[in-house]
Amino acid sequence: MQRRIYFDNASTTNINPEVLKSYKQLLDQYYVNSESLYDEGTKISRMMEKARSAIAGLLDVESDEIIFTSGSSESNTAAIKGVCFACRDKKHIITTNIEHSSIMNACRQMEEVFGYDVTYLPVSSEGTVTADQVAAALRPDTAIVSVMHVNNEVGSVNPIEEIAELVKKHSHAYMHSDLTQSVGKVDLDMKYIDLASVSAHKLEGLKGSGILVKRRHVPFVPLINGGEQEQGFRGGTSNACVNMVFAKTLRLALENGRKSHEHIEKLSAYLEKGLREIEGVEINHPQKHVASTINFSYEKIPSEVMQNALNLKGFMVSARSTCDSKSENPSYVLEAMGYSSRRASSCIRISLSRDNTEEEATLFLKALKEIIEQYG
């Protein structure tokens, strides 16, 4: 049977065995509605609040500033719309042109359906924006600024702390950051962050699990209406067991991220060196990037053809964001960084985890050379 090698950890991760064990134990016992007034419901509610408090402690925020969601796409959408709908006299949004599709599409909908004005800041060839760019775009009617911390396709790192401080000191806008690809990889001081999105399945946790950090002072209209769950900010019966294990997921992700940093850096450097030695291969990720994300192109072979060829050899990789994987369009991230349409249409993303090995990287480089010889 062919060996399968997983190099798509920016898309999703394998569930940490400790998280899975805890979830199964909880699921076997705690099935009642956490809003129920009988003893069993009250117990689950208390356990969920304990998890909320633990998450808040890990992120250095208050426990009532944690809203459980289904993941970062919901959190991102809720942040944009929740703030804008609460600040009805402000009709301006600032974001970048390389955000995740959940942000991009939410902003487009705010433009097309609700008449908002959105400034899409252009990124540099390094895939980042500056605090000065944000400052120049701020207006008296800016409701929210949303800039991702780490890009999901090329791993570029935005100066979020600097941007957030500027927004806080020089405007009345609220600062949101998508932390989906940065938690456990890049440290962040949350001091000036008003809202933030995190997804569990990027952290060796469960799919359908996430949080929105919403600071107490931030006005907010719920995206999902219902009862008084999540302080009235997110209606619907709580997915209590999933929410409870988010605390363990986050703690382990932060611990393992620190432990595996050197391993992933060495593996990334090994892979990049090997890629640079293959004639025709071009490295797309910037010099400053999270080590776990490698992006390259071989222009003679389109992304879909290369992905399928690698799949046949046992490698699971992606090209652009998995949310856009079925699109035949070039990567809008690479185009925004100034790369040609052809290069953006032939990109491949490798995303590593602590479980990947040098042997796997060697096998990948060998397979890539064979594919290029066959198709290139």
Side-chain angles (χ1 to χ4, degrees), residues 185-340:
K185 301 171 187 174
V186 184
D187 291 334
L188 179 67
D189 185 346
M190 296 284 287
K191 183 178 180 181
Y192 295 108
I193 304 291
D194 294 308
L195 303 108
S197 306
V198 185
S199 193
H201 79 101
K202 308 289 189 180
L203 308 174
E204 299 186 342
L206 301 168
K207 292 175 180 62
S209 173
I211 59 168
L212 172 63
V213 178
K214 186 199 78 67
R215 310 309 283 267
R216 290 172 175 170
H217 62 273
V218 178
F220 189 82
V221 171
L223 188 67
I224 299 175
N225 299 113
E228 291 303 309
Q229 297 91 348
E230 300 303 303
Q231 306 168 67
F233 293 129
R234 202 257 189 184
T237 301
S238 297
N239 197 352
C241 295
V242 166
N243 295 341
M244 281 187 264
V245 297
F246 193 102
K248 174 174 273 192
T249 300
L250 181 59
R251 176 177 60 79
L252 291 173
L254 293 172
E255 290 174 0
N256 292 330
R258 286 187 285 269
K259 291 176 185 175
S260 60
H261 179 72
E262 186 177 344
H263 167 70
I264 290 175
E265 276 200 329
K266 286 181 178 178
L267 188 57
S268 178
Y270 176 80
L271 263 169
E272 184 172 336
K273 181 177 182 294
L275 288 168
R276 289 186 183 279
E277 291 172 353
I278 301 174
E279 187 177 353
V281 169
E282 300 167 301
I283 301 298
N284 299 323
H285 60 258
Q287 185 174 357
K288 183 183 178 183
H289 69 111
V290 292
S292 56
T293 300
I294 294 171
N295 194 301
F296 70 92
S297 293
Y298 183 79
E299 291 189 11
K300 293 181 181 179
I301 303 178
S303 297
E304 187 176 355
V305 175
M306 181 67 84
Q307 281 180 275
N308 289 332
L310 285 165
N311 177 53
L312 290 173
K313 287 185 176 291
F315 293 92
M316 292 172 273
V317 300
S318 61
R320 51 194 65 81
S321 169
T322 310
C323 295
D324 299 314
S325 63
K326 294 182 180 179
S327 169
E328 295 181 1
N329 295 325
S331 163
Y332 66 82
V333 173
L334 293 185
E335 287 191 319
M337 291 170 66
Y339 292 122
S340 68

